[in-house]
Amino acid sequence: RFVVLFLMLGVGFMLAEISLTQRLILFLGQPVLSLAVLLFALLVGAGIGSIYSGRFTSDKIIKVIAVVSISIVAMLLSYTFLLPLILDQLLGLDLVIRLLATVVMLIPLGFLMGFPFPLGIRMLKEMKMEEYIPWMWGINGIGSVLGSVATIVIAISSGFTGALLIGA
């Protein structure tokens, strides 16, 4: 089950990241800027979430992973349907305001996405399975590569909205 967890974290993160990048390119108007802002917001949020995940006791790790995962799904589903409406309303504003709005919208998602990986690693440590930690890093990396390819394949057949929904 750890292999599935770390594989799906990599795949899901990439599906969400690439799909959101596509939406933000249209909103911010510049691909490089959109990617930089998205990565900044998601990684800052994930870093804060990763730090915050250390506050939970060992007996709550599985529950926290479950609750956070469901929250990520709910947030991605709401982004799928609400983000186009929000971005349309903000489209006429100055670029700086649109950049700030993007960061404000994405940091909470990154925060939640920052929980499962470190909690999974911590669970491995507590189960005395430290020797599998490098394998889980590798499996997560493989999941990220597969997620990148899967996003394009899904986007060609179902659009980036479909890819975002599958990422959720």
Side-chain angles (χ1 to χ4, degrees):
R1 75 184 169 169
F2 285 108
V3 170
V4 172
L5 171 68
F6 286 97
L7 184 68
M8 291 293 99
L9 287 174
V11 170
F13 192 90
M14 292 310 291
L15 282 162
E17 178 187 325
I18 294 171
S19 299
L20 289 170
T21 300
Q22 186 273 340
R23 287 187 191 263
L24 292 176
I25 288 172
L26 299 173
F27 178 60
L28 298 174
Q30 301 174 27
V32 174
L33 181 62
S34 301
L35 183 61
V37 170
L38 175 101
L39 289 175
F40 170 79
L42 286 182
L43 294 177
V44 165
I48 295 167
S50 178
I51 291 168
Y52 193 81
S53 72
R55 294 180 175 211
F56 296 99
T57 59
S58 301
D59 58 325
K60 294 184 180 179
I61 290 176
I62 294 172
K63 182 180 179 181
V64 171
I65 290 174
V67 168
V68 166
S69 297
I70 291 168
S71 300
I72 292 168
V73 169
M75 188 170 274
L76 286 174
L77 289 174
S78 67
Y79 278 17
T80 301
F81 301 107
L82 295 177
L83 205 54
L85 301 172
I86 294 168
L87 297 181
D88 283 348
Q89 294 298 313
L90 301 175
L91 195 55
L93 298 176
D94 188 51
L95 179 62
V96 173
I97 295 171
R98 287 182 286 151
L99 290 170
L100 289 172
T102 301
V103 170
V104 167
M105 286 187 286
L106 292 177
I107 283 183
L109 176 63
F111 178 76
L112 292 174
M113 292 173 95
F115 277 72
F117 191 92
L119 289 175
I121 296 291
R122 196 163 132 210
M123 205 159 51
L124 283 168
K125 285 182 181 178
E126 292 182 10
M127 295 174 74
K128 307 292 187 227
M129 298 172 68
E130 292 95 349
E131 68 272 13
Y132 294 107
I133 291 174
W135 284 98
M136 296 307 116
W137 275 93
I139 288 168
N140 182 260
I142 291 168
S144 296
V145 172
L146 292 175
S148 300
V149 174
T151 303
I152 302 307
V153 171
I154 294 165
I156 289 170
S157 62
S158 303
F160 282 103
T161 300
L164 188 59
L165 289 171
I166 291 171

